[in-house]
Amino acid sequence: MRFFFEISYNGTRYHGWQNQRNAVGVQQLVEEGLSKIFREKVAITGSGRTDTGVHCAQQFFHVDLEKEFQPEKLIQQLNSFLPADIAIGGVRQVKPDAHARYDARERTYEYHLTTRKNPLLVGRAFYCFKPLDFQIMNQAAELLLGEHDFESFSKVKTDVNHFICDLRSARWNQKADLWVFTITANRFLRGMVRAVVGTLLDVGSGKITVNQFKQIIDGRDRQLAGMNVPAEGLYLVSVKYPNEIFLK
């Protein structure tokens, strides 16, 4: 039987989600925990990758399990094996062919930025000391909406068939001492959100104009876009699936 697990984590101590040879990823610790509980090797498949230092409020992974279990008890057991900065939030049975990555219909990220130095936000938000015009940054962000080729904001060496994404929302909003950029799309390219944010900061600081931002989108060249902002401000906050894949 196949199950979807919901997971969240603080990514500060981890080299992203995926298993790696010489570093610890979140996936490794979850697989080790499940393998201890079921006393056999267990492999999981995540809804996507996150880079080193990126945080996650909601992600999913699927796993095939033959032995019966009580969901609440399993969640409690698995959480007891996991460190304090990783948590399992729920588990649901899905159709046998449901896939945590390929069945995802929409993903939402947030980027947290502060314009005031705050030691309590170290590792959780990016401190930008430059004056920023968030109104003009939102004007530029509107140009991202719809279906576009986002090669300008993708890592250069990435194994994808195309760079087309359907962006459904992209906007900066102030929340207390934070400015939060929320972006939703059907899919994201590797490094895309951090490159988009870095280029929007160039707009907000006056380094480039809104029209030049549009030219960067159309240019389909990573060298035209701005820097990748630090990972500490990035959060995967939501992954959505069609209801019909869930059995319970």
Side-chain angles (χ1 to χ4, degrees), residues 15 20-24:
H15 287 254
Q20 299 183 46
R21 289 183 179 180
N22 302 313
V24 177

Side-chain angles (χ1 to χ4, degrees), residues 80-99:
S80 70
F81 282 117
L82 294 171
D85 49 11
I86 303 176
I88 302 299
V91 55
R92 293 181 68 181
Q93 188 177 355
V94 295
K95 293 181 178 180
D97 60 347
H99 198 286

